[in-house]
């Protein structure tokens, strides 16, 4: 049984033949195209610093993934017809094997952007397995796909071919986000304000992490949301209201915490999803700052990227993030000739045209200097966005937030410490 749907177009051969004949008579398709303007690239940190992150590409509609039909497609379907499937309000995101899986909470489903096959599909949009409010998606080492359905209080499981397998409903809970290991599922729960540890084979609860509590003490949660498991097996949990990141052992022993509710760079106002890479870096989305901050394994700020604006790679209420090793060849044409990309960073934005934005972590190629990208570099907005009304609709700072005491704590340039030289050696309790 499957509820995966392929977005397709159909038309009659006679209609197609007539349109081709019309194109031949009118000379359609023979008009030379105008030369595209020089491409502008967004880097963080920008010139004159050594760039570490480059914006590559973004997606909003299925037509952004599928082959460009050009004037023939426009004649058959019109411009509106080419926009077959919009990504409405994305949330959690994951990537594997040339595919980007995006949870859409407004059009409840998981949208699959199959970049390698140039197709768009949806999972969970109908039938008894219809998703109600999917907020996160994770892919297990064996390729199984796990979706946190906040609206239906369950975790839904699909196979490697995106076909429904089963669902887990471990009592009364509301899953916000999840991370999957070889034999476990770690899921943040909005009801208990804890992290549930589930057996991946049957969905049975085998433990819990943390307790409900709004105090300064670590080991307590107010609204646990973002979660990931790093290469060392540490469980990293972000609290959206407490504005703090806490790190635990696989079985829930508290190791450390960092961050607080303040508008200073390196801290948080509205942290959402988070992700880790194989070198121990932690990537944390902040919907108020409208950027992604990058920390080392001990919680030290390395850099940040994105921010509000109209430059390529700007963010508009970002919420989801994932790190993906592989598939760099799919973005070869987007990578600056002087930049050596090492892995992909994918961010979802709830508003704006860049609903799914793809970046690359890397560095300049051997022998290249910042001067080699200076002429092609777009002007990016470096400062923190106006967080006073973000996510709250008010003009005041969120409760508990404070202004930076020193301007140096809120710099107008990302730190230039190189994230690509960071190595994970574990954290101290």
């Amino acid at each position: 049984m499957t509820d995966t749907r392929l977005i397709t177009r159909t038309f009659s051969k006679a209609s197609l033949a007539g349109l081709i004949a019309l194109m031949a008579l009118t000379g359609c398709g023979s008009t030379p195209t105008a030369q595209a303007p020089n491409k502008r690239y967004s880097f963080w940190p920008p010139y004159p610093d050594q760039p570490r992150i480059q914006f590559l590409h973004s997606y909003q509609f299925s037509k952004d993934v599928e082959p460009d039909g050009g004037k023939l497609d426009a004649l058959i379907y019109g411009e509106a017809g080419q926009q077959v499937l919009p990504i409405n309000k994305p949330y959690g995101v994951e990537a594997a094997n040339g595919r980007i899986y995006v949870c859409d909470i407004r059009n409840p489903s998981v949208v699959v952007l199959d970049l390698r096959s140039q197709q768009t599909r949806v999972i969970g949009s109908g039938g008894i397995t219809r998703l109600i409010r999917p907020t996160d998606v994770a892919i297990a080492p064996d390729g199984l796909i796990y979706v946190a359905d906040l609206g239906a209080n369950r975790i839904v499981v699909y196979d490697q071919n995106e076909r429904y397998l089963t669902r887990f409903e471990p009592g009364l809970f509301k899953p916000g986000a999840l991370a999957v290991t070889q034999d476990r599922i770690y899921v943040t729960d909005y009801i208990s304000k804890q992290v549930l540890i589930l057996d991946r084979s049957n969905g049975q609860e085998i433990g819990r992490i943390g307790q409900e509590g709004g105090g300064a003490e670590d080991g307590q949660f107010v609204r646990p949301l973002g979660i990931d498991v790093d290469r060392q097996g540490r469980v990293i949990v972000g609290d959206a209201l407490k504005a703090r990141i806490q790190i635990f052992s696989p079985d829930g022993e508290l190791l450390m915490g960092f961050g607080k509710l303040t508008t200073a760079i390196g801290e948080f106002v509205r942290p959402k999803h988070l992700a880790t890479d194989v070198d121990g870096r932690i990537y944390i989305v902040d919907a108020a700052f409208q950027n992604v901050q990058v920390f080392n394994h001990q919680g030290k700020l390395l850099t940040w990227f994105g921010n509000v604006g109209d430059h390529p790679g700007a963010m508009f209420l970002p919420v989801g993030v994932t790190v993906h090793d592989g598939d760099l060849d799919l973005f070869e044409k987007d990578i600056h000739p002087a930049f050596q990309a090492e892995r992909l960073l994918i961010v979802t934005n709830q508003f704006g045209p860049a609903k799914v934005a793809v970046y690359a972590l890397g560095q300049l190629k051997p022998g290249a200097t910042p001067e080699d990208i200076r002429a092609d570099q777009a002007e990016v907005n470096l400062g923190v966005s106006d967080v006073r009304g973000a996510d709250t609709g008010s003009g005041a700072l969120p409760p508990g937030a404070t202004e930076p005491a020193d301007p140096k704590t809120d710099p107008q340039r990302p730190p230039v410490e190189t994230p690509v030289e960071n190595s994970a050696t574990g954290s101290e309790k």
Side-chain angles (χ1 to χ4, degrees):
M1 176 181 179
T2 177
D3 59 355
T4 300
R5 301 183 182 181
L6 177 64
I7 307 301
T8 59
R9 305 183 182 99
T10 58
F11 51 89
S12 69
K13 292 182 178 179
S15 299
L16 176 60
L19 283 167
I20 292 176
L22 176 62
M23 290 169 62
L25 289 173
T26 60
C28 185
S30 62
T31 303
T33 57
Q35 177 114 11
N38 291 335
K39 183 172 181 177
R40 309 299 289 174
Y41 299 83
S42 292
F43 289 98
W44 291 267
Y47 180 89
D49 298 324
Q50 293 281 339
R52 300 300 177 185
I53 295 170
Q54 184 206 323
F55 169 70
L56 301 181
H57 201 79
S58 66
Y59 303 92
Q60 183 179 12
F61 300 103
S62 59
K63 73 182 184 72
D64 299 329
V65 174
E66 298 167 2
D68 185 4
K71 294 186 177 181
L72 177 59
D73 247 13
L75 279 172
I76 297 173
Y77 308 108
E79 289 298 324
Q82 287 184 291
Q83 299 175 357
V84 180
L85 175 69
I87 301 171
N88 288 296
K89 195 171 184 180
Y91 219 79
V93 61
E94 185 60 281
N97 303 318
R99 302 169 184 174
I100 301 175
Y101 297 84
V102 184
C103 293
D104 191 334
I105 60 175
R106 180 163 292 167
N107 181 27
S109 64
V110 174
V111 180
V112 184
L113 306 178
D114 192 334
L115 307 183
R116 200 163 292 282
S117 299
Q118 296 184 314
Q119 292 180 342
T120 305
R121 299 184 292 275
V122 291
I123 301 174
S125 62
I128 60 172
T129 62
R130 183 172 64 90
L131 299 170
I132 306 301
R133 188 178 176 84
T135 52
D136 199 20
V137 54
I139 299 177
D142 59 6
L144 295 187
I145 304 165
Y146 293 76
V147 179
D149 190 347
L150 177 67
N153 307 328
R154 64 188 178 186
I155 296 171
V156 185
V157 188
Y158 301 88
D159 68 12
Q160 298 90 334
N161 297 313
E162 302 159 13
R163 295 175 298 196
Y164 171 78
L165 281 181
T166 188
R167 61 180 179 264
F168 299 144
E169 299 171 309
L172 181 62
F173 85 130
K174 284 189 173 296
L178 72 171
V180 182
T181 65
Q182 189 69 40
D183 56 359
R184 292 182 172 186
I185 304 170
Y186 293 91
V187 54
T188 54
D189 177 22
Y190 285 176
I191 291 182
S192 68
K193 297 179 174 56
Q194 295 175 301
V195 174
L196 306 188
I197 307 174
L198 308 181
D199 187 319
R200 190 163 79 88
S201 65
N202 55 26
Q204 296 298 309
E205 181 181 323
I206 56 178
R208 297 194 175 206
I209 297 176
Q211 298 292 331
E212 177 181 357
E217 182 180 352
D218 282 336
Q220 298 180 344
F221 298 115
V222 179
R223 178 58 68 90
L225 174 56
I227 189 168
D228 202 4
V229 178
D230 68 12
R231 196 174 186 181
Q232 296 176 314
R234 304 185 312 164
V235 183
I236 303 169
V237 186
D239 195 313
L241 295 183
K242 197 172 181 177
R244 188 161 177 84
I245 307 302
Q246 300 180 57
I247 303 178
F248 302 84
S249 72
D251 292 323
E253 178 188 2
L254 176 66
L255 300 177
M256 64 169 289
F258 65 93
K260 60 183 178 181
L261 184 63
T262 173
T263 56
I265 283 296
E267 309 293 352
F268 310 102
V269 176
R270 288 288 182 266
K272 297 294 186 179
H273 283 263
L274 60 84
T276 63
D277 67 18
V278 296
D279 295 312
R281 303 179 201 97
I282 306 170
Y283 303 77
I284 303 171
V285 173
D286 197 302
F289 287 158
Q290 306 213 62
N291 67 9
V292 175
Q293 298 186 94
V294 187
F295 300 83
N296 70 6
H297 69 286
Q298 293 178 326
K300 180 181 179 181
L301 179 67
L302 297 172
T303 191
W304 75 84
F305 64 97
N307 207 62
V308 69
D310 56 6
H311 55 273
M315 297 181 184
F316 195 167
L317 283 186
V319 63
V321 62
T322 191
V323 181
H324 179 48
D325 291 290
D327 293 319
L328 286 169
D329 61 298
L330 294 171
F331 299 94
E332 185 175 1
K333 63 180 176 55
D334 300 304
I335 301 172
H336 192 283
F339 192 69
Q340 182 171 300
E342 298 179 357
R343 58 176 53 103
L344 299 176
L345 313 174
I346 305 172
V347 178
T348 56
N349 294 282
Q350 295 191 64
F351 298 98
K355 293 297 178 61
V356 180
V358 182
Y359 306 78
L361 175 73
Q363 57 191 324
L364 289 176
K365 291 180 177 178
T369 71
E371 289 293 336
D372 295 318
I373 65 172
R374 182 179 184 182
D376 303 323
Q377 192 166 164
E379 183 176 350
V380 301
N381 185 2
L382 297 178
V384 176
S385 63
D386 181 8
V387 300
R388 292 177 181 270
D391 233 22
T392 63
S394 68
L397 289 171
T402 60
E403 294 279 13
D406 187 332
K408 293 180 180 179
T409 65
D410 192 8
Q412 289 300 298
R413 301 186 71 82
V416 295
E417 294 183 62
T418 168
V420 294
E421 293 177 357
N422 174 54
S423 60
T425 57
S427 75
E428 298 179 358
K429 183 176 177 180

